């Protein structure tokens, strides 16, 4: 097992380096850089050249790349072109805010999807199963921003029960109850956003398992439907669920752009959208880089989980 993990890590390193190279190339192709954003009409050409020299921007591209890569490993993504704040420090503040919103939402959605998806897959030919499948289809087709606006209207404006902007009320930053009030609406929005696709995915996996020969064998030996679903079907659909968990990893960085922007949640998604509107490409590239790395990490985690779940795959790979 440890040998396989080390092997997958060694495969992941070139991919991460490739992502950094592509990101650096995109930065180099941008029409202006950090020095251009800070230049004033009163600066002389000599002053501008000196600034470029101090930042290493007068060096060949390959030298700049390794200097930039070294800074990345020290969590130094440079500075915003608009606000001139440290991008690394901003991300350290915003990534936890996104995770604290997205992770509980996804875990809740996954639990609901397992229950409803297995139920719908077992009753695919009955009204209840078809109803869940249709509702999941409606949920997939429902725009996240529209659902968020409905929640804001009813619970924020009409009933005036919950706050609709921000993560905390100014002046009461350490109040847990205040945080939970701000958390509820974006949490519900994301749960509704994540659940429908997961239901369909788990429903399809359940239906495939119920058509397998081992289910017929278990029925022939007198196993009840409950035993088959819990002891056998659920165990076998854990593999596709593990794959979905791996796919979720990049979602922790940019998975709530729309929801965060609507509720003004101070996370990475809102940070990314603001940077995109302002064409603040160092921020955009930093977030794209982190998301790409999270995709690679997610694939690695999914592979490891699949091996832990399925001994047959473990025996075939190790």
């Amino acid at each position: 097992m440890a040998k396989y993990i080390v092997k997958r890590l060694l495969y992941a390193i070139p991919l991460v380096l490739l992502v950094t190279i592509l990101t650096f190339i995109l930065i180099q192709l941008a029409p202006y850089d950090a020095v251009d954003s800070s230049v004033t009409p009163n600066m002389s050409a000599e002053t501008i050249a000196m600034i470029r020299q101090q930042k290493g921007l007068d060096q060949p591209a390959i030298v700049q790349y390794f200097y930039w890569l070294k800074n990345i490993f020290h969590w130094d993504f440079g500075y915003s072109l608009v606000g001139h704040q440290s991008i690394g420090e901003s991300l350290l503040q915003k990534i936890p805010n996104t995770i604290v919103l997205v992770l509980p939402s996804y875990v809740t959605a996954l639990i609901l999807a397992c229950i409803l998806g297995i139920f719908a897959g077992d009753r695919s030919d009955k009204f209840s199963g078809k109803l869940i499948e249709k509702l999941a289809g409606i949920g997939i087709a429902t725009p996240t921003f529209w659902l968020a606006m409905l929640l804001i209207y009813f619970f924020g404006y009409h009933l005036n029960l919950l706050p609709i902007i921000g993560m905390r009320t100014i002046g009461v930053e350490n109040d847990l109850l205040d945080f939970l009030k701000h958390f509820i609406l974006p949490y519900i929005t994301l749960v509704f956003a994540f659940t429908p696709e997961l239901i369909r995915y788990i429903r399809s996996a359940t239906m495939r398992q119920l058509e397998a020969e081992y289910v017929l064998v278990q029925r022939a030996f007198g196993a009840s439907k409950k035993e088959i679903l819990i002891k056998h079907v659920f165990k076998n659909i854990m593999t596709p669920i593990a794959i979905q968990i791996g796919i979720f990893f990049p979602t922790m960085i940019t998975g709530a752009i729309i929801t965060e922007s609507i509720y003004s949640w101070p996370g990475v998604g809102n940070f990314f959208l603001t940077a995109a509107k302002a064409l603040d490409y160092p921020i955009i590239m930093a977030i794209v880089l982190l998301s790409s790395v999270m995709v690679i990490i997610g694939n690695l985690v999914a592979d490891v989980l699949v091996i832990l779940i399925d001994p047959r795959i473990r025996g075939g790979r190790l």
Side-chain angles (χ1 to χ4, degrees):
M1 183 65 187
K3 181 180 177 182
Y4 175 75
I5 294 175
V6 172
K7 186 178 179 181
R8 289 291 290 115
L9 283 172
L10 292 176
Y11 285 148
I13 291 173
L15 290 176
V16 173
L17 290 175
L18 179 61
V19 168
T20 62
I21 291 171
L22 293 175
T23 304
F24 181 78
I25 291 173
L26 290 173
I27 292 175
Q28 292 297 306
L29 292 175
Y32 51 89
D33 55 29
V35 174
D36 294 327
S37 68
S38 59
V39 167
T40 63
N42 298 327
M43 285 186 180
S44 64
E46 292 77 10
T47 302
I48 296 173
M50 184 178 64
I51 296 174
R52 288 187 177 278
Q53 184 178 9
Q54 290 175 349
K55 293 182 177 293
L57 298 177
D58 61 331
Q59 300 292 328
I62 186 67
V63 176
Q64 292 186 45
Y65 167 73
F66 283 107
Y67 178 76
W68 175 79
L69 188 63
K70 183 190 73 172
N71 290 337
I72 291 298
F73 282 113
H74 289 86
W75 200 256
D76 182 1
F77 296 93
Y79 292 84
S80 166
L81 297 180
V82 178
H84 305 288
Q85 75 272 26
S86 170
I87 298 173
E89 292 180 4
S90 297
L91 287 173
L92 285 176
Q93 295 173 0
K94 297 179 183 302
I95 288 176
N97 294 341
T98 294
I99 293 176
V100 80
L101 173 62
V102 174
L103 186 58
S105 303
Y106 189 84
V107 171
T108 303
L110 188 61
I111 293 172
L112 290 174
C114 286
I115 297 171
L116 296 176
I118 293 174
F119 181 83
D122 179 53
R123 297 171 175 264
S124 59
D125 58 341
K126 298 182 180 179
F127 174 76
S128 56
K130 292 179 180 179
L131 177 62
I132 293 174
E133 197 273 336
K134 295 296 182 184
L135 291 176
I138 294 173
I140 293 172
T142 302
T144 303
F145 73 88
W146 182 76
L147 174 63
M149 297 304 291
L150 285 180
L151 293 174
I152 287 173
Y153 174 74
F154 283 108
F155 294 98
Y157 287 105
H158 187 65
L159 299 176
N160 197 25
L161 291 176
L162 297 169
I164 59 174
I165 294 176
M167 184 176 171
R168 300 180 187 275
T169 302
I170 297 176
V172 287
E173 283 77 8
N174 296 322
D175 190 335
L176 178 60
L177 180 60
D178 179 74
F179 166 77
L180 292 176
K181 288 180 180 179
H182 286 81
F183 174 80
I184 289 175
L185 291 184
Y187 165 77
I188 293 174
T189 302
L190 285 179
V191 169
F192 274 95
F194 290 142
T195 304
E197 289 190 12
L198 289 172
I199 287 177
R200 279 199 163 183
Y201 184 82
I202 294 174
R203 173 182 175 272
S204 298
T206 301
M207 291 174 65
R208 287 194 297 269
Q209 291 299 321
L210 289 174
E211 293 173 355
E213 292 183 358
Y214 76 87
V215 173
L216 295 176
V217 173
Q218 291 297 323
R219 287 173 178 168
F221 277 97
S224 65
K225 180 183 292 187
K226 184 178 179 181
E227 290 176 336
I228 293 173
L229 287 175
I230 295 176
K231 293 183 178 180
H232 301 283
V233 172
F234 180 72
K235 182 179 179 180
N236 284 313
I237 67 171
M238 285 299 293
T239 298
I241 290 175
I243 295 173
Q244 287 297 309
I245 293 174
I247 295 173
F248 165 70
F249 266 69
T251 306
M252 288 193 291
I253 301 296
T254 58
I257 293 177
I258 295 175
T259 302
E260 287 185 359
S261 62
I262 291 175
Y263 292 102
S264 296
W265 190 269
V268 180
N270 199 15
F271 189 46
F272 179 82
L273 187 61
T274 302
K277 290 178 181 178
L279 298 179
D280 199 342
Y281 74 85
I283 295 176
I284 297 172
M285 289 297 101
I287 295 175
V288 169
L289 175 62
L290 287 177
S291 298
S292 302
V293 171
M294 290 300 288
V295 170
I296 297 171
I297 294 174
N299 288 334
L300 175 62
V301 170
D303 286 347
V304 172
L305 287 176
V306 167
I307 290 175
L308 290 173
I309 292 169
D310 196 335
R312 295 169 299 177
I313 298 177
R314 187 187 315 171
R317 291 191 178 185
L318 296 179

